[in-house]
Amino acid sequence: MKEPLNIDWSGLSFGYMTTDYNVRCSYKNGEWGEIETTSSELIPMHMAATCLHYGQEAFEGLKAFRGKDGKVRVFRMDENARRIRLSAEGIMMPPIPEEKFCEMVKLVVRLNERFIPPYGTGASLYIRPLQIGITAQVGVKPAKEYLFIIFVTPVGPYFKGGFATTPYVITRRYDRAAPLGTGTFKVGGNYAASLRASQEAHAAGYSAEFYLDAREKKYMDECGAANFFGIKNNTYVTPLSTSILPSITNKSLIQLAEDMGMTVERRHVPEEELATFEEAGACGTAAVISPIERIDDPENNRSYVISKDGKPGPVSTRLYNTLRGIQLGEIDDIHGWNTIVIE
């Protein structure tokens, strides 16, 4: 019998909490094995494992929600299955079959049902799939053996203030990823490359840093952990680049914007265009939308004020509420994005 949980669901931060189980699957001798369940939070790993030395590692992030009707929904896990396949292929790892990925997601959510936050608390169950190369070797080459794990943890809002405008800053001193590099894959190295700029941004009072394109330093790229979008003239504008992670949240917002009758433009976004946007935001799984108050470019002594009154704009608010409503079962899921895992 498990001990009763004593969790302040409404006060949760976006952090790790021990849950009951995680699920795993190993790749050996050219094939994926059976799904295993464990309560261990540790990974037995050789010190010469390929992931530790040459970065053969990819991960994902998605969420499960307890809806108003009591059902538990996982949002767009088919897209996460597809994206981790592309990430794995991009760094020479055998991809986990998408069907097995979805099976493991559903299993780990059901096994940890008591950690799914109640409806109305603003919290959700964060799901973290992870694939690593575990072959012991010192040569620079792909591993022969891999471990795929999915663990979960209940989380609150990514930003303490929730859906509220915050300032961002452009960094010119660092690049997150190179064109035609690993920027389109969800691999740990991209996030390691963003840590210094991120910490400097936080220390200066910003929510996060924005990168410009690595080639010309002219166009908006993305945050260390989120895509960018801007709103003007009933148009949803988001950068098109060979170094940006294809955000599932951004893809969803694009569809919702089209549903609302907006025009969608995926193209280069010059930094100077920031001055013309009526609204702007950073978007991703963790925060959904983080509305932008302003974006500073301190190295050029410029500041682009997006929100004149310091509040989220009407379009961003509608997009946010619609997406959250779909995730929570409050709004009809006309695109079939949710998978009901627990009735």
Side-chain angles (χ1 to χ4, degrees), residues 47-298:
M47 62 184 176
T50 315
C51 63
L52 299 178
H53 299 267
Y54 304 121
Q56 262 200 308
E57 177 272 352
F59 69 101
E60 273 299 324
L62 61 160
K63 288 181 177 180
F65 304 86
R66 193 179 298 278
K68 189 175 183 179
D69 55 6
K71 297 178 180 179
V72 175
R73 295 167 171 82
V74 176
F75 186 70
R76 304 203 77 172
M77 68 176 176
D78 57 326
E79 288 288 338
N80 292 95
R82 174 179 175 272
R83 191 168 66 178
I84 200 168
R85 173 177 62 80
L86 295 174
S87 294
E89 291 172 347
I91 57 171
M92 298 297 293
M93 297 196 297
I96 187 93
E98 294 181 26
E99 299 79 10
K100 188 176 287 272
F101 177 97
C102 294
E103 181 183 356
M104 291 176 71
V105 168
K106 290 185 280 189
L107 176 60
V108 76
V109 170
R110 290 173 181 145
L111 288 172
N112 294 284
E113 180 179 359
R114 70 194 191 110
F115 287 93
I116 302 172
Y119 171 78
T121 59
S124 57
L125 187 72
Y126 186 74
I127 305 166
R128 170 52 59 85
L130 171 72
Q131 182 174 341
I132 54 175
I134 58 173
T135 302
Q137 59 188 25
V138 293
V140 184
K141 57 185 177 180
K144 295 181 179 179
E145 297 182 351
Y146 296 86
L147 180 62
F148 187 84
I149 301 173
I150 306 182
F151 66 84
V152 299
T153 183
V155 297
Y158 189 74
F159 293 111
K160 293 181 180 180
F163 185 68
T165 60
T166 57
Y168 286 73
V169 63
I170 289 173
T171 178
R172 295 174 177 275
R173 297 174 58 197
Y174 310 107
D175 293 320
R176 171 188 162 272
L180 305 180
T182 61
T184 57
F185 309 134
K186 197 168 179 68
V187 295
N190 295 338
Y191 295 82
S194 73
L195 291 177
R196 181 178 293 276
S198 176
Q199 289 301 302
E200 289 182 4
H202 291 159
Y206 297 99
S207 288
E209 77 288 5
F210 264 111
Y211 298 91
L212 300 177
D213 72 290
R215 181 181 287 113
E216 299 182 81
K217 298 287 188 182
K218 292 181 179 180
Y219 306 103
M220 298 298 294
D221 207 66
E222 69 171 324
C223 284
N227 279 193
F228 170 82
F229 72 87
I231 304 291
K232 65 176 181 179
N233 303 324
N234 199 40
T235 301
Y236 183 102
V237 181
T238 193
L240 182 64
S241 166
T242 56
S243 62
I244 290 177
L245 181 72
S247 164
I248 296 167
T249 302
N250 198 5
K251 184 176 183 178
S252 304
L253 294 174
I254 285 170
Q255 181 61 64
L256 295 179
E258 291 176 341
D259 293 348
M260 291 163 50
M262 299 181 67
T263 300
V264 172
E265 294 179 0
R266 281 166 280 196
R267 57 173 172 78
H268 289 316
V269 181
E271 179 192 335
E272 293 75 15
E273 190 176 358
L274 293 175
T276 70
F277 286 121
E278 300 156 12
E279 303 177 34
C283 59
T285 297
V288 182
I289 292 176
S290 174
I292 295 173
E293 177 188 358
R294 73 179 194 277
I295 300 178
D296 291 344
D297 181 358

